[in-house]
Amino acid sequence: MLQTEKKLPKTKDISAKERLITHLILIGMFGAIGAFTVSKVSILTTEINIYIILKYGIILGVICSVGNLLMYYFYLTKTISNKDYLDIEQHYSNIGFLSRVFYGGFVEEIIFCWGIMSLILWLLQLILGQLNTISVIIAIGISSLLFALAHLPSIKVVSEKPKVSMYVYTIFGNVWVGIFTGWAFFKAGIFSAIIVHMLFHILWYPIQKMK
């Protein structure tokens, strides 16, 4: 990811050392939050069951991918110019396949599922005393929205004058991903959420290469 960021025009003035420190701080901070809260949340599991992890990871990952691809190719690309489309595709190319799969899959899930979602559930448990399905929906909703908002700055990297549809897709597309990774995390743990996120990028990549 550090090598990829060097290619992005808005990050060239940031040193590799500063980028590395930023990433390490984020991973360390949210990793520590999750390590503290996950084991204290009654409805979250730390058990490693390969079958359950793969079951939810693969099934939810495929559904997540299909839904997001439909939003991208049947909504976003129909509402923007060809130049905007090529700029977006170039942006994805600059990020790189490995960065999308491994940084997105691991780091973002450590931050938003392992860290933020588990923290919200822990706080709700302290307030309510007992968690239920509504609590899970609230936690997934908040963490998914934060996940989407964190991706908004990338729009300005792609386009100086972004279309409204770019913001719409970025918010709804990333909330969509957050919902599926959040549900996988709830049902099967962090490794399942990571599989969902990684599979999303893995399935999208060959389609982009064919376009």
Side-chain angles (χ1 to χ4, degrees):
M1 187 64 184
L2 294 175
Q3 295 301 317
T4 298
E5 287 179 338
K6 293 178 181 179
K7 303 176 185 178
L8 302 178
K10 298 297 178 69
T11 61
K12 288 182 178 179
D13 57 337
I14 304 174
S15 70
K17 182 179 180 180
E18 291 172 328
R19 288 192 292 268
L20 176 60
I21 291 173
T22 300
H23 291 307
L24 290 176
I25 289 174
L26 287 173
I27 296 169
M29 181 173 66
F30 288 101
I33 289 172
F36 174 78
T37 56
V38 169
S39 62
K40 299 184 184 321
V41 177
S42 60
I43 59 175
L44 292 180
T45 179
T46 56
E47 179 186 357
I48 299 178
N49 184 317
I50 301 300
Y51 172 73
I52 298 297
I53 289 171
L54 292 177
K55 172 185 172 182
Y56 283 98
I58 293 173
I59 292 174
L60 294 178
V62 170
I63 297 172
C64 173
S65 301
V66 171
N68 200 290
L69 290 172
L70 289 174
M71 280 187 265
Y72 183 78
Y73 288 108
F74 290 93
Y75 169 67
L76 181 62
T77 61
K78 305 296 184 183
T79 62
I80 57 177
S81 67
N82 187 59
K83 181 184 182 305
D84 287 332
Y85 169 71
L86 294 176
D87 286 342
I88 292 171
E89 291 295 307
Q90 184 59 51
H91 174 66
Y92 284 127
S93 178
N94 288 342
I95 294 174
F97 174 68
L98 293 179
S99 291
R100 290 164 63 184
V101 171
F102 291 103
Y103 183 87
F106 283 93
V107 177
E108 290 183 348
E109 293 315 313
I110 291 297
I111 293 172
F112 292 97
C113 279
W114 181 257
I116 293 176
M117 182 177 159
S118 65
L119 175 61
I120 295 169
L121 286 171
W122 179 66
L123 292 173
L124 288 173
Q125 185 173 266
L126 289 178
I127 296 169
L128 303 175
Q130 186 175 1
L131 297 176
N132 53 31
T133 304
I134 300 299
S135 306
V136 176
I137 293 173
I138 291 172
I140 292 176
I142 295 174
S143 60
S144 298
L145 182 58
L146 292 175
F147 176 66
L149 294 176
H151 284 78
L152 288 180
S154 65
I155 297 176
K156 281 292 187 178
V157 174
V158 176
S159 175
E160 292 292 335
K161 296 181 179 180
K163 306 293 190 300
V164 172
S165 59
M166 292 182 184
Y167 289 101
V168 172
Y169 168 75
T170 299
I171 293 173
F172 282 93
N174 284 291
V175 165
W176 175 265
V177 174
I179 289 171
F180 283 90
T181 56
W183 190 254
F185 176 58
F186 164 59
K187 298 297 291 185
I190 188 60
F191 293 111
S192 188
I194 288 171
I195 290 173
V196 172
H197 202 144
M198 292 177 69
L199 195 56
F200 164 64
H201 292 297
I202 290 170
L203 293 177
W204 193 357
Y205 185 73
I207 296 174
Q208 286 183 305
K209 300 302 286 186
M210 289 188 297
K211 294 291 184 178

